[in-house]
Amino acid sequence: MRSVRLILIAFSVVWLCMCTSVSAGDEVKFRSPNGKFAMRLAGDISEIIDLKAGTTVLELEEVSGSWAKDSKLLWSPDSKYFAHFSADRRGGSTTIYRQKGDTEFEQVPLPEFPDCEKTNVGKEFETSLEPRRWLNATTLVVLAREAWSNEDDPNQTGECERTITISFDANGNASIQNIKKGKK
C-alpha cells in the first residue's frame, strides 16, 4: 500500500512539473537582469514567465508567426520595468510594463508624442515606436519613425525619425525628457 501511495505521489509531482514547465517547442528569450523572468513565445502567444516556477505571469499578446521573431523585450537594469516591442507590417509598437508586487506587472501609459511636421501626406506606410536602450532603471530611449507617400506623387515619400528619452517617476508616470530629430 505504501509503494502505491509513493508511486501516486511521484506521478503527481511529475505531472505538475510537466504542466508548469516550459514546453520544448516554446522559445524562451529576453531574460530579466535578475534572472527571475523572461519572455516565452508559445505558438502565437508571447508572455512573461516566472522562470523558477515556469508559470505565466503576464500574457502580452497574440503574434503572427512571421512577426514574432522581430518582437523583442528590453528590461530595465533593476528588472522593475520592461519595454515590449511588438513588430507588425507597418513597423511596430511599444508597451511599457512596471512590476507590481513580486510577480505581477502593470501597463504604464506613455505620454503623447508630438507629431512630425508632415505635409502633403498620401498614405502612411510606417508608424513605429521601438525601444532602444535603458539609460538607467527609470529612463528609456525609444526610436519613433513615420513614413508616408506624397499625396500628389505617390512615387515620392517622406519620413520622420525621432529619438525620444522617456523617464518614469516613483509612481510609474512617464514623461518626455528629450526629443532629438533625425531624418525628415
Side-chain angles (χ1 to χ4, degrees), residues 21-52:
S21 66
V22 176
S23 300
D26 295 344
E27 184 178 1
V28 175
K29 54 187 188 175
F30 306 116
R31 294 175 189 268
S32 61
N34 66 5
K36 188 172 181 180
F37 304 103
M39 182 172 86
R40 172 172 56 194
L41 294 174
D44 290 343
I45 303 290
S46 63
E47 54 196 10
I48 300 299
I49 60 169
D50 180 318
L51 287 169
K52 186 175 181 180

Side-chain angles (χ1 to χ4, degrees), residues 30 72-76 81-85 130-134 140-141:
F30 306 116
K72 67 179 179 180
L73 196 120
L74 290 179
W75 289 95
S76 63
Y81 287 88
F82 67 86
H84 177 249
F85 176 72
E130 184 176 354
R132 292 305 204 169
R133 68 186 172 282
W134 286 91
L140 174 67
V141 176

